[in-house]
Amino acid sequence: MDDTRPQNMEGLCVSDCRRCPALVDSRSRIVNGTGPSDADVLFVGEAPGGQEDAEGEPFVGRSGSVLDDQLRTVGLERETVRITNCVRCRPPENRDPTTDELENCRGYLEAEIDRVDPDVIVTLGKVPGEHLLGRSVAVTSETGSVEEVRIAGTPRPVLVCLHPAATLYDRSQESAFAETIAEAAAIAGVSPTDSGGQSRLGEY
Ligand code: URA
């Protein structure tokens, strides 16, 4: 039996998996994706970091704050999008996931993509960009570009995006990151005034 099939929650949640011995040792839990199962935008990161491993949710550390701020700016509240990772367990010392680890977790990601069926998949950083596009990606120059990719037999629009942490290391990347997140919102048909925050300002 293919044990990379998700084990519950209608194709979204993995409750147990022991395919990657190094990750089984380093994780304290499996970090599944969060957000609506019918979200229009699906963000895909690399792997959980320390904070994500502790809290059991993707992008809740510093990178998550950068992402949340930008989502809010473009009218995409975090609660309305789905956020997941290529690999669901924290790699030791936050190293990149290996090719085998990415492959071991691929079935879970594909099942999540199938189930959510988003308007756009946004890859956050080099690892998810290359994993889903199946080629090398120069994220800094390609951020904002959309490519149609066949994933588990279905063509999907994939929007290449910088990792939010890139803006922490290099402030000059902030505008490119902001523009790419705005593009994701535009593809999903969301404008800044669609969200509670900005439109409600007019009420006061
Ligand atoms: N970086 C990632 O790629 N994923 C997370 O969940 C957090 C940080």
Side-chain angles (χ1 to χ4, degrees), residues 45-49 52 58-59 63 85 163:
E46 179 180 317
E52 290 75 21
F59 284 97
S63 300
N85 279 304
H163 194 282

Side-chain angles (χ1 to χ4, degrees), residues 120-124 133 142-147 157-161 180-181 183-185 187:
V120 63
I121 298 169
V122 186
T123 54
L124 295 170
L133 266 51
E142 293 190 47
T143 190
S145 63
V146 182
E147 198 167 309
V158 175
L159 171 61
V160 174
C161 186
T180 306
I181 300 297
E183 192 177 338
I187 294 170

Side-chain angles (χ1 to χ4, degrees), residues 34-112:
T34 51
S37 59
D38 62 349
D40 292 337
V41 185
L42 172 66
F43 290 92
V44 182
E46 179 180 317
Q51 194 77 21
E52 290 75 21
D53 178 70
E55 293 188 34
E57 189 171 330
F59 284 97
V60 288
R62 282 185 78 201
S63 300
S65 305
V66 173
L67 179 62
D68 288 353
D69 287 349
Q70 208 49 57
L71 289 175
R72 216 170 295 117
T73 302
V74 302
L76 278 175
E77 290 296 325
R78 183 182 172 102
E79 295 68 36
T80 69
V81 302
R82 189 149 185 101
I83 307 177
T84 195
N85 279 304
C86 294
V87 163
R88 294 180 189 229
C89 301
R90 181 195 188 187
E93 276 123 49
N94 295 334
R95 64 157 168 74
D96 285 356
T98 64
T99 309
D100 281 352
E101 289 162 355
L102 286 164
E103 274 322 302
N104 287 343
C105 224
R106 176 88 188 191
Y108 301 137
L109 179 60
E110 289 186 352
E112 187 167 18

